[in-house]
Amino acid sequence: MAGIAPAFAQSVDVVTDPVEWVNPLIGSDSKPSLSNGNTYPAIALPWGMNFWMPQTGKMGSGWSYTYAADKIRGFKQTHQPSPWMNDYGQFSIMPLTGKKRITEEERASWFSHKAEIVKPYYYSVYLADHDVTTEIAPTERAASFRFTFPKTDSSYVVVDAFDKGSYVRIIPKQRKIIGYTTRNSGGVPENFKNYFVIYFDKPFATAQAWHDTTLAKDTIEIQAAHAGAIVQFKTDKGEQVHARVASSFISYEQAELNLKEIGNDNFEAVRQKGKEAWNKELNRIRAEGGTPGQMQTFYSCLYRSLLFPRKFFEIDASKQVVHYSPYNGKVLPGYMFTDTGFWDTFRSMFPFLNLMYPSLNAQMQEGLANAYKEGGWLPEWASPGLRSVMVGSNSASVIADAYLKGARGYDINTLYEAVLKNSENEGPMDAIGRRGVAYYNKLGYVPYDVNINENAARTLEYAYDDFAIYQLAKALKRPQAEIDRFAKRALNYRNLFDPKTGLMRGKNQNGTFQSPFNPFKWGDAFTEGNSWHYTWSVFHDVQGLVDLMGGRKKFVAKLDSVFTIPPVYDESYYRSVIHEIREMQIANMGQYAHGNQPIQHMIYLYNYAGEPWKAQYWLREVMNRLYLPTPDGYCGDEDNGQTSAWYVFTAMGFYPVCPATDQYVLGAPLFRKVTATLENGKQIIINAANNSASNRYIDAMRLNQNEYNRNWLSHADLLNGAIIDINMSDKPNKKRGTTPQDYPYSFSTSNQK
């Protein structure tokens, strides 16, 4: 397999058309019991408001496209961030021939991946049961369809507005169908609708509305629990029928405006513009000197890093940015983005945007300020509005990291007010605000025995989030007492460290540790992980964790043991083996569970204890073994760009272990050369000419022609443009990066306190 990078593998020296290296099917061979990514092929533009996908799953299933499926039921507009969150703003379009068939079971057609072309900007598939080829080319809020029919009087296109309340109206004189869908999975106001307009370039021979499983007699307009439309064409062999479609969360009139993204462009022009849009972004990071499999994996991960959070705003008739608020149901001015969970994406997805797309992330910060003003709380998981999922108040990290890395032009004071509110209050739902905050602020931890689930995880994440607030408070010159409050809380992680086991452990209200304690127990005190995973969640004060563990040698031994302890587990909290457990078990890397976020930074921690070569070894192992350019190519949920951004950063050779600082911790590059072009026009050039499958260790490094022995790079140095020259070796250099002055930032040893 090319992704394993054998020494004899062919090398790709120049990538001139990076979008053609993207495989949107990576991760799509998944199911609820085992995630190999839990992705679907998102046919979309970067951060597009609307995505399109072939739909193989039943209406309402989060697993709406699975690689193992045999049949396609329709081509769906989707806003689904993950199968676990499911979808909203969804409807489908399906061509067919023969007799009229409206239900998804009847109209479904067999297909083969051999007759399927999947690009970010273009999708094509042959529907065998109908002898029809369907093609899709997207814009940000619209899409162009091309159906190639056989010779028949009975060619049809079915529009399915889905159940839970929908409407369609056919306007034959305009060759047009309009409608709305309300189907959603939560997080929407009562007036939520997604309005769509569809124009065809061929007159309808017949047109009928339908509801549920019934064709309506002599009706071309219907409002029902489940509404749809079917239009008929007489076609010659190979005749192409085109459809232009757009939608809006605001109104039909706004959907018509969104359709102007296509304008007078024919299908080929839309496809070409989509390809150019993707290449513009993908060319921002040019990789050279990797195997074909590594190139496919890298650019596919970069594609996934440029999808979420999606644009949830539209451009009105006055060319102003407006949005339908998923928080209060009003149409308001300004930016809005959605479909991301900060528990996942604060780690590397948002730091990636801060490095490569700071202006876009400034718009996202404005969107966060709008979310707070409209909903009263910061979202921790938005899809499209507030959702009660995961733990922590990691919006603090997202907000602090953006501002500290230079983003401006939005209302930071409102965002800081929101962060302060989170730090003192529980919210209207479990995952909003801070559950257990009164205990946390009084005792310095959320107790194990007060019926608050995942309490240790909450404590550790709150402590890091408090560090992020501390950093932001200093930058905003807040009162010293306020700064000191968060500095003190940033050390609360210490309260859960158990010196007997050398691990983090739940603690009772009276100060005793939970008992019995099984460090292999998933959930309970932790979130989708166990103590072996969460013990490392001290992003901001690794030296403090080193000290708690008894010094550098014991710390390194503990890191080593993550890979040598068998992948045993206790699933009793969940009453079954959840997919995250299974993904750790089958990876053959001990307790290292890269398929979920809590441990994804852990390998980089060797840099804080003077053995960076171990990070270099294990990072290459993870890239080689747990990421492949295949439908089963991820090792767990891809999670809205987080697991992909990890790979993009790691392949470049550095990673943001602690957002809200200006440091990236070193690994070692995967390619012989990487050139990243920043928004300010400067470039980061990483040269590692003798990089290879065997040469995975950094022997020597120069930054802008000066010898460089530190285990980190600063954001400021990278932003100014940097030439990094690395001599790679097949043997670790055990003298480089081994002294404390080489180690990355830790709060307890910094001079910033």
Side-chain angles (χ1 to χ4, degrees), residues 289-323:
T291 67
Q294 289 167 342
M295 288 298 187
Q296 281 184 291
T297 303
F298 180 79
Y299 282 108
S300 298
C301 283
L302 187 52
Y303 148 78
R304 292 268 169 208
S305 300
L306 303 177
L307 290 172
F308 298 103
R310 79 170 72 251
K311 295 174 178 177
F312 199 76
F313 62 85
E314 305 176 49
I315 311 299
D316 70 10
S318 303
K319 308 294 185 186
Q320 299 300 305
V321 173
V322 295
H323 65 272

Side-chain angles (χ1 to χ4, degrees), residues 653-665:
F654 53 89
Y655 183 81
V657 167
C658 185
T661 68
D662 80 333
Q663 292 185 359
Y664 303 89
V665 180

